[in-house]
Amino acid sequence: MKKIQIITILIFIFSYPGQSLANEKSRLIMGWEPWAPFAYASESDRLTGLDIDIVASILSKYSYSIDYQKAPWARLLKLLENGEIHICASAMKTPEREKFAYFSFPYQKETYLLFVRKGEASHYNLKRLQDIIGTKFRLGILRGSLYGSEFERLMKDPDFSKHVEDVTTDEQNHIKLLANRFDGFIQEYSRMVTDGRKSGIINQVEPLFVIEENILHVMFSKKSVGPEVVDSFNEGLKIMMKDGTYQKIFEKYNLERYNMISPIELSVDDRG
């Protein structure tokens, strides 16, 4: 009888759901595409970036290890939906994505600003885009970019749209501003920090006001990740904010001014 009981216990232990997959479940695959300063290969060919640092820093504390898979963004979304990868970062929450992904608490934001020539911000009595109407201000935008619902609404008004000219690259906006062909242009802050430092334009411009902010999350595949992983990430994010690690990572990439999430923005459970 005792022998039978021992065998039964052993069978229960080795057949307990998840027990044999423990090692597999502690290893997660994070999808990424090259997009400095969030995910990119360094000069030494080491994967780095703000997203890489934050996700790895948090999940490693909960005994998860991370492998990385590089692919274009559209492909990464499909892999996540199919459960072939577990994580994607820098994601906006949409109803379509919520069908196949859990969303973490907000952990960063992309911020679009109106930039003018350095030293000239005080020359303009502009607090919002609508204030451009009736002025001589010339605004450069990147063709095909989305700057929020307010911008879209204003572009339907000829009194506003006549002030706007689109270009095909951010660099063209920079050149036209410095040549006094534009009075300002719109660009996302992290792109200005990354590309602007290389070209030097960041030292020749200053922000006038914020155009649009988009809250970003880390996505987790519902097909291959349980809610407990998301809960661990959210808990770790709160701890990271309290102990200063979060701020240090943003400072490392010079994104602390406009891309960090405030404690108020984090206070609401926005996982979905």
Side-chain angles (χ1 to χ4, degrees), residues 197-267:
R197 287 186 184 280
K198 294 177 182 177
S199 67
I201 186 67
I202 195 169
N203 299 316
Q204 301 175 73
V205 299
E206 61 183 335
L208 191 58
F209 57 82
V210 173
I211 301 292
E212 173 79 351
E213 291 182 337
N214 295 317
I215 300 297
L216 301 179
H217 309 257
V218 175
M219 287 193 301
F220 297 83
S221 173
K222 286 184 176 180
K223 209 162 192 176
S224 56
V225 171
E228 70 279 358
V229 180
V230 191
D231 292 339
S232 293
F233 181 89
N234 288 336
E235 180 184 36
L237 179 60
K238 287 184 175 181
I239 294 171
M240 175 185 278
M241 281 188 157
K242 288 180 180 178
D243 69 16
T245 305
Y246 177 83
Q247 289 83 350
K248 287 178 182 178
I249 291 175
F250 276 82
E251 289 169 1
K252 174 182 175 182
Y253 297 99
N254 301 297
L255 297 178
E256 69 277 7
R257 186 174 180 186
Y258 288 107
N259 295 86
M260 283 176 52
I261 291 290
S262 69
I264 294 176
E265 290 168 311
L266 184 69
S267 64

Side-chain angles (χ1 to χ4, degrees), residues 31 34-35 49 72 79 82 93 102 120 125 133 135 138 156 162-163 167 184 198 215 255:
W35 190 247
L79 291 171
N82 294 338
K93 181 188 285 190
Y102 299 112
E120 295 188 5
N125 187 26
I133 296 174
T135 70
R138 299 159 297 172
K156 296 175 183 177
K162 68 181 182 182
H163 293 272
V167 297
K198 294 177 182 177
I215 300 297
L255 297 178

Side-chain angles (χ1 to χ4, degrees), residues 142-203:
L142 186 64
R143 187 176 303 162
S145 293
L146 301 176
Y147 300 120
S149 57
E150 177 68 5
F151 180 84
E152 290 183 16
R153 182 186 69 79
L154 285 169
M155 282 300 288
K156 296 175 183 177
D157 183 348
D159 288 335
F160 176 81
S161 60
K162 68 181 182 182
H163 293 272
V164 179
E165 181 180 331
D166 64 357
V167 297
T168 56
T169 67
D170 287 320
E171 185 181 10
Q172 288 177 326
N173 270 332
H174 304 165
I175 292 171
K176 289 190 173 186
L177 179 75
L178 297 180
N180 289 302
R181 294 170 62 187
F182 286 163
D183 299 303
F185 61 82
I186 299 174
Q187 189 166 348
E188 203 280 316
Y189 186 71
S190 68
R191 303 311 310 158
M192 171 57 71
V193 168
T194 303
D195 299 334
R197 287 186 184 280
K198 294 177 182 177
S199 67
I201 186 67
I202 195 169
N203 299 316

Side-chain angles (χ1 to χ4, degrees), residues 123-142:
H123 298 179
Y124 301 106
N125 187 26
L126 305 175
K127 303 297 183 185
R128 54 182 182 166
L129 285 173
Q130 189 170 341
D131 295 339
I132 290 175
I133 296 174
T135 70
K136 295 182 179 180
F137 195 91
R138 299 159 297 172
L139 177 64
I141 65 169
L142 186 64

Side-chain angles (χ1 to χ4, degrees), residues 4-42:
I4 293 174
Q5 288 177 338
I6 291 172
I7 291 173
T8 302
I9 291 170
L10 288 172
I11 291 173
F12 175 79
I13 290 173
F14 287 106
S15 63
Y16 185 78
Q19 195 73 14
S20 62
L21 298 176
N23 291 334
E24 182 181 337
K25 286 189 175 181
S26 66
R27 182 170 294 277
L28 301 171
I29 302 173
M30 179 177 177
W32 71 284
E33 68 169 344
W35 190 247
F38 303 104
Y40 62 99
S42 67

